[in-house]
Amino acid sequence: MLTLHRAGLVLADPTAPPILDGAVLVDGTTVAAIGPFAELAQGPARVREWDGVLVPGMVNRHGRWLLESAYHPDPREELGDRPLLPSGELSEERWGGSARRGLQRMLGFGATALTGPFDRPSVRIAVARSGLHEIAGDGAPGELSPLAGQSLAAAVHRPLAVGGAADFAVFDARTVEGVESGTRCLATVLGGRLLHRRR
């Protein structure tokens, strides 16, 4: 099924000029076309309209630390939604639950990739099931937001390209310069699937 994602600004590659009133046409798991909405809106695709800037999916370069050293509380624990250092040893089951919550929170910041490798079996399983792309990293401590402390160009996993994976995020920023750590992620699409949408 074809889906056309329209945004006020599309930045398929941080090194290229943005497309005003742009769109990304997704066919299954891949990008079929990128360009102005008026040019791509001729076919039978379902249209999703986003009020923001559409950028490539990002990589969280602290994935290993966030999932294997930090604990992501269950909302029922009333400990907030920020990662915490565990107060004691956790069972594999609790590490798995923590990892699943952490992965959901990463998607909520526009991440479509994260750094590994992962030693804990329950964390490895959670990452594999999430669909997020795993890349090599150093496991340094850091934030949930891939944009924390770095530019958009440094945070991008890979530019969007026709024939490439339909991995992208939409932020509520009005300009390219506005996409920074504090900017809200409206949606994250991974392999053509909408896995996060801010309500």
Side-chain angles (χ1 to χ4, degrees):
M1 177 178 195
L2 294 173
T3 304
L4 188 61
H5 293 265
R6 179 186 191 181
L9 198 65
V10 171
L11 187 61
D13 183 339
T15 64
I19 304 168
L20 291 172
D21 192 17
V24 174
L25 182 63
V26 174
D27 184 1
T29 62
T30 60
V31 175
I34 302 169
F37 175 73
E39 291 179 13
L40 300 183
Q42 307 302 318
R46 174 181 61 172
V47 177
R48 286 192 184 273
E49 301 210 16
W50 304 107
D51 186 20
V53 55
L54 189 153
V55 299
M58 301 190 191
V59 57
N60 188 306
R61 300 192 186 281
H62 310 287
R64 184 175 184 183
W65 181 85
L66 283 164
L67 298 184
E68 295 209 320
S69 298
Y71 176 68
H72 299 269
D74 186 308
R76 295 170 293 190
E77 295 175 287
E78 298 182 357
L79 295 173
D81 61 0
R82 308 238 345 124
L84 309 168
L85 292 177
S87 57
E89 186 54 40
L90 302 179
S91 67
E92 274 298 306
E93 184 180 351
R94 288 194 71 199
W95 274 118
S98 169
R100 288 188 295 276
R101 291 185 295 274
L103 290 161
Q104 281 301 312
R105 290 170 183 154
M106 286 182 196
L107 285 165
F109 283 97
T112 57
L114 75 167
T115 56
F118 300 98
D119 297 322
R120 298 182 189 276
S122 57
V123 174
R124 275 199 310 271
I125 291 168
V127 171
R129 288 180 177 167
S130 75
L132 271 80
H133 304 283
E134 183 183 329
I135 62 173
D138 61 10
E143 298 289 327
L144 279 166
S145 171
L147 289 164
Q150 61 183 347
S151 68
L152 176 64
V156 164
H157 178 217
R158 56 184 168 222
L160 285 174
V162 173
D167 298 341
F168 54 88
V170 182
F171 290 87
D172 65 0
R174 300 296 175 179
T175 64
V176 175
E177 292 76 22
V179 180
E180 48 193 39
S181 176
T183 305
R184 290 186 319 149
C185 178
L186 302 176
T188 305
V189 174
L190 178 59
R193 296 182 301 144
L194 181 62
L195 294 186
H196 163 76
R197 183 173 192 168
R198 185 173 292 275
R199 289 178 168 79

